[in-house]
Amino acid sequence: MRKIYSGIAALLVAGLVCSCGMNSGSGEAEIESITLDDSSAKTVFYPGDTFTASALLVQSNYVDNTSKKVPLKNCSFKIDGNSITAGSSSFSESDKGDHTITVSYKGCSGDYSIKVLAASEYVAPTFVDNYASIAAWKNRYQWNLANTHDPTVFKWTDGYYYMFGTDASYGNAHDDATKGKHFFGKRSVDLVHWEYVNGIMNDAPSWVATKLNEIRAKMGLDGIAESDISFGYWAPCARVVEVDGVKKVRMYYSIVVDNYIGNGKPTSDSANFDNTWGERAFIGVAESTNPAGGPSAWKDLGFVTCSSSDKALDYSRTSTSDWSAYFYFNAIDPSYFIDDDGTHWLVYGSWHSGFALVRINPSTGKIAAVDGDDYLTGTVTGDFAMGDPWADSAEGLVKNGYGTRIFARGTSRWQPSEGPELVKYDGKYWLFFANDELDVPYQTRVVCADSVKGPYYAFQGSEMTNDVDGKRNGSTSIYPILTHPYKFSDEEPASGGYGSCYGWVGISHCAVFQDDDGNWFYMSQQRLPANVADNAYSNAIMMGGVRRILWSPTGSSKHDTWPMVLPERYGAIPSSYTPDANATDGKISASEIPGTWQHINLVYDKGNMDEASELVLAEDYTMSGALTGTWTFNESDQTLKLGDVTVSLAREVDWEKVPRVPTIVYTGASSTNYATTYWGKKEPSSD
């Protein structure tokens, strides 16, 4: 056994109370026991993995009935009796088997077990999906990816992936938070096991109310007392930046004011409606060099932009069923993008007239001023002097600094798209977005451009940036569908809260990112359908879903590969996992293809789930069931051709099986029928 480096991977220990010799620290009461609890971390390791206890919650209990969380730096750890020291090597193949970890703190110590598997072995995650039984705030360290909504993901220098999101939780459990209440998050070393992280603020920054009332005064309106403002905390986006030689996390966040423009009263009470629209949203920015540190570790830099109108000061609304929209750009759902040439950009918008693009000053994080008339080009000279958030036209909003529209679903002022996420791949700019309303219909689409400024095109070549003949070409048919409500056909739902057998809906508003090996990932919320397990509120159960993106050959007129999302969630199956004797280098072999599969035609069906049906791929290369005709497999690029449609293959976890097991999944889109995406997985029992 080699000594283990305290570095990257995470540890699970659930509810273990350790034995203790009475001991006291300087000025402290005597300790009676310590409890180790972090059911979101992992116990299974592979050759090449390393061990750390940094995800471990250590709670000390004193004889005077007080308790506190113990800093892990004050604890000591041993593995099989050997002290864990920094700088030593990781697990090797020879370490296969069970091992004992001992943790000690001020005379208290206890043992628990971890397992090292061979590279050819795999144990799937066991955390529950239907987390209603542990939804209370006190259980947040057991949540794993429970209560994930509108996530943003980045990797920090401590080896962790961090995720922060919208203030949302089943039963509004986060309302019980007393520290780091807003934009709470999670972190993980393997994208599978996640632990809770405090949010970035306890209250809305004071600048929000100040800026709101400055704008209201210029509009000739009375101010609203800060105590009377109804705030919403939505959809942050964070990236790692380096400013003046200092690496930090820069996070853009949305704060919505849910009061009426006219009388300033909360919109939550229908009796307050005064024939005006609801107030505006604001986007601010904060920075930190310690993203796990809670509010004290974040420096708020203040106002970036806010919702803006091309209707000047005509904020009248005929009724609550009037959707003509006062605001042209809605200042929520920011996506922060840093291009290869060092330019910084922000895309934002939701449901109103489309998505806006603004240039960002890399030094300050604010909207940039440049040395030319067009602030989307030129050299940054400082921060832009923002004009009024209203004008007589969209062109006026451009001049005032609120952005240039780069995407819209159509000409309507109220259109079902939000949550933009901008990334770059193979020299192209890819704009992912959420489509339809947030409950069952929510799903994901993507468009592509040669320039960050557009024009952006759908898969089939429809332009989505500029009007074509007075309307946006293809505005109601942007394909392919990347995610959609779906259900695989599996056995009855298992006990213990697995939940996946019910299928998933509302899969959208994504973060798109890469790991250190260049693999691409899609992370979003996903909700259980209504009335699961006799729970009338089950659609409010929001489990985070991390899925891989495969750049699949599709024959698109705009790019020869297209980002396609895998149907099953990421389970960190090692690349060395090779259950088939003919498989090499972690690849899927031709002999693994024949058998029974579950196939889904992922087609747009508003408010309904696409359900799987049986597909048999026979050894004679014929298909029967969901598809007919012939199939072929290309082992070199891991693609499967099902008739005329090419899909990409990968190993993933079958999350519906009990217990969960590895399987093979596919994703791809038809180059002739743009409305069809294929999702599928192989039945493990047919191997």
Side-chain angles (χ1 to χ4, degrees):
M1 165 59 65
R2 300 180 181 181
K3 292 183 179 179
I4 309 305
Y5 169 51
S6 181
I8 300 176
L11 167 72
L12 161 68
V13 98
L16 171 64
V17 178
C18 303
S19 62
C20 189
M22 295 299 195
N23 197 20
S24 61
S26 176
E28 293 183 336
E30 291 182 326
I31 303 170
E32 187 173 72
S33 65
I34 59 174
T35 300
L36 313 176
D37 187 9
D38 184 3
S39 57
S40 65
K42 73 175 188 176
T43 51
V44 176
F45 298 84
Y46 294 93
D49 283 350
T50 52
F51 165 79
T52 182
S54 58
L56 188 64
L57 175 63
V58 182
Q59 193 80 22
S60 59
N61 304 298
Y62 295 85
V63 293
D64 60 359
N65 293 321
T66 62
S67 63
K68 70 174 183 178
K69 185 177 179 180
V70 177
L72 291 167
K73 65 182 180 181
N74 295 339
C75 300
S76 62
F77 297 86
K78 293 182 178 181
I79 183 165
D80 297 339
N82 299 312
S83 296
I84 299 171
T85 57
S88 56
S89 61
S90 62
F91 290 111
S92 68
E93 188 78 28
S94 63
D95 295 325
K96 177 184 174 182
D98 296 325
H99 302 283
T100 299
I101 301 288
T102 302
V103 60
S104 300
Y105 174 69
K106 293 185 180 294
C108 296
S109 64
D111 294 338
Y112 51 93
S113 297
I114 63 171
K115 181 184 292 289
V116 178
L117 299 179
S120 59
E121 297 178 289
Y122 177 73
V123 174
T126 57
F127 60 80
V128 300
D129 287 331
N130 186 355
Y131 60 85
S133 64
I134 57 168
W137 186 252
K138 66 180 180 179
N139 297 323
R140 61 193 179 277
Y141 286 96
Q142 301 176 40
W143 281 355
N144 203 355
L145 282 174
N147 291 322
T148 296
H149 191 85
D150 304 339
T152 183
V153 180
F154 62 89
K155 190 172 186 181
W156 186 235
T157 56
D158 58 3
Y160 280 92
Y161 293 92
Y162 283 81
M163 183 281 294
F164 293 88
T166 288
D167 279 22
S169 58
Y170 180 75
N172 292 320
H174 68 278
D175 286 346
D176 292 332
T178 57
K179 178 182 179 183
K181 183 172 185 175
H182 302 302
F183 305 111
F184 64 87
K186 302 174 175 68
R187 68 178 184 176
S188 172
V189 294
D190 62 1
L191 299 176
V192 177
H193 303 88
W194 297 76
E195 63 166 337
Y196 170 81
V197 172
N198 279 326
I200 73 169
M201 60 182 67
N202 295 321
D203 301 289
S206 59
W207 67 260
V208 179
T210 300
K211 189 68 176 179
L212 171 69
N213 286 322
E214 285 177 0
I215 293 170
R216 290 179 64 85
K218 294 187 73 174
M219 296 173 69
L221 298 164
D222 294 335
I224 308 174
E226 186 169 0
S227 59
D228 293 332
I229 298 175
S230 178
F231 295 109
Y233 302 81
W234 293 359
C237 182
R239 304 286 186 259
V240 177
V241 299
E242 188 169 315
V243 180
D244 297 328
V246 177
K247 188 169 286 189
K248 59 183 69 176
V249 180
R250 178 175 290 168
M251 182 186 294
Y252 292 87
Y253 57 85
S254 308
I255 293 187
V256 178
V257 175
D258 288 322
N259 297 64
Y260 285 111
I261 296 176
N263 59 28
K265 295 181 179 180
T267 63
S268 56
D269 186 345
S270 60
N272 292 335
F273 179 65
D274 63 348
N275 292 104
T276 69
W277 288 88
E279 258 294 359
R280 67 197 67 240
F282 293 85
I283 293 176
V285 63
E287 293 180 342
S288 178
T289 57
N290 176 20
S296 63
W298 289 86
K299 180 180 180 181
D300 194 274
L301 304 181
F303 173 82
V304 176
T305 191
C306 66
S307 301
S308 54
S309 177
D310 61 339
K311 291 185 174 182
L313 298 181
D314 182 11
Y315 46 81
S316 61
R317 189 181 188 188
T318 58
S319 70
T320 54
S321 59
D322 173 9
W323 300 109
S324 59
Y326 171 59
F327 294 114
Y328 186 78
F329 290 135
N330 187 14
I332 67 171
D333 297 358
S335 179
Y336 183 27
F337 172 68
I338 302 172
D339 207 344
D340 300 336
D341 61 3
T343 55
H344 291 221
W345 307 87
L346 197 71
V347 181
Y348 69 92
S350 169
W351 273 84
H352 289 237
S353 296
F355 301 151
L357 175 72
V358 294
R359 184 89 172 268
I360 293 295
N361 182 344
S363 297
T364 65
K366 302 298 182 70
I367 293 177
V370 300
D371 58 357
D373 294 333
D374 180 1
Y375 68 86
L376 296 182
T377 62
T379 302
V380 173
T381 59
D383 293 344
F384 190 85
M386 302 288 286
D388 292 330
W390 64 82
D392 293 326
S393 65
E395 291 74 20
L397 295 180
V398 173
K399 293 179 180 178
N400 289 356
Y402 292 89
T404 297
R405 184 164 70 173
I406 61 168
F407 172 88
R409 288 300 306 268
T411 57
S412 170
R413 296 185 66 87
W414 191 254
Q415 47 189 273
S417 53
E418 63 181 14
E421 177 77 332
L422 182 62
V423 300
K424 193 173 186 179
Y425 170 78
D426 198 21
K428 301 281 187 176
Y429 299 83
W430 302 86
L431 184 61
F432 297 75
F433 64 94
N435 190 54
D436 272 358
E437 59 266 28
L438 173 62
D439 46 55
V440 174
Y442 219 39
Q443 15 85 36
T444 309
R445 313 291 179 100
V446 64
V447 290
C448 175
D450 294 320
S451 165
V452 68
K453 295 175 286 185
Y456 284 85
Y457 293 90
F459 178 92
Q460 68 272 34
S462 301
E463 185 181 338
M464 304 310 303
T465 296
N466 301 303
D467 284 350
V468 178
D469 297 329
K471 64 180 181 180
R472 271 173 174 73
N473 187 14
S475 61
T476 59
S477 56
I478 299 174
Y479 295 105
I481 298 170
L482 300 188
T483 67
H484 188 278
Y486 76 100
K487 181 181 184 299
F488 281 118
S489 303
D490 285 279
E491 65 273 2
E492 290 299 311
S495 61
Y498 269 45
S500 303
C501 299
Y502 296 100
W504 293 103
V505 302
I507 312 162
S508 201
H509 197 126
C510 63
V512 178
F513 60 97
Q514 287 182 278
D515 66 9
D516 292 338
D517 296 323
N519 299 305
W520 285 84
F521 292 88
Y522 167 107
M523 182 179 188
S524 75
Q525 62 164 306
Q526 53 186 51
R527 295 171 177 251
L528 288 179
N531 300 311
V532 162
D534 298 321
N535 181 355
Y537 305 102
S538 59
N539 189 230
I541 292 176
M542 301 162 282
M543 176 60 70
V546 179
R547 290 171 168 82
R548 279 190 289 169
I549 290 175
L550 301 183
W551 295 87
S552 184
T554 56
S556 165
S557 63
K558 288 300 171 185
H559 198 268
D560 56 1
T561 60
W562 210 260
M564 301 301 298
V565 177
L566 288 173
E568 293 281 35
R569 286 169 285 165
Y570 179 66
I573 297 175
S575 59
S576 56
Y577 177 75
T578 52
D580 186 87
N582 298 311
T584 58
D585 300 325
K587 285 189 173 183
I588 297 161
S589 71
S591 59
E592 295 181 81
I593 304 302
T596 302
W597 297 67
Q598 289 191 38
H599 175 83
I600 299 177
N601 278 353
L602 207 64
V603 296
Y604 181 59
D605 187 7
K606 185 177 176 67
N608 296 306
M609 303 171 76
D610 290 329
E611 296 196 20
S613 55
E614 184 178 279
L615 170 65
V616 177
L617 301 183
E619 292 185 357
D620 64 359
Y621 301 101
T622 60
M623 301 186 296
S624 61
L627 301 172
T628 58
T630 60
W631 64 270
T632 58
F633 176 59
N634 187 326
E635 190 166 337
S636 62
D637 65 6
Q638 298 284 277
T639 60
L640 177 65
K641 197 165 186 180
L642 303 173
D644 294 329
V645 179
T646 299
V647 296
S648 296
L649 298 182
R651 294 194 197 279
E652 270 306 345
V653 173
D654 188 331
W655 289 79
E656 289 75 36
K657 293 298 182 192
V658 182
R660 295 166 176 151
V661 292
T663 188
I664 304 171
V665 295
Y666 60 69
T667 182
S670 169
S671 60
T672 55
N673 180 5
Y674 303 117
T676 299
T677 293
Y678 282 180
W679 270 5
K681 70 173 182 180
K682 192 180 183 189
E683 285 284 357
S685 60
S686 66
D687 289 341

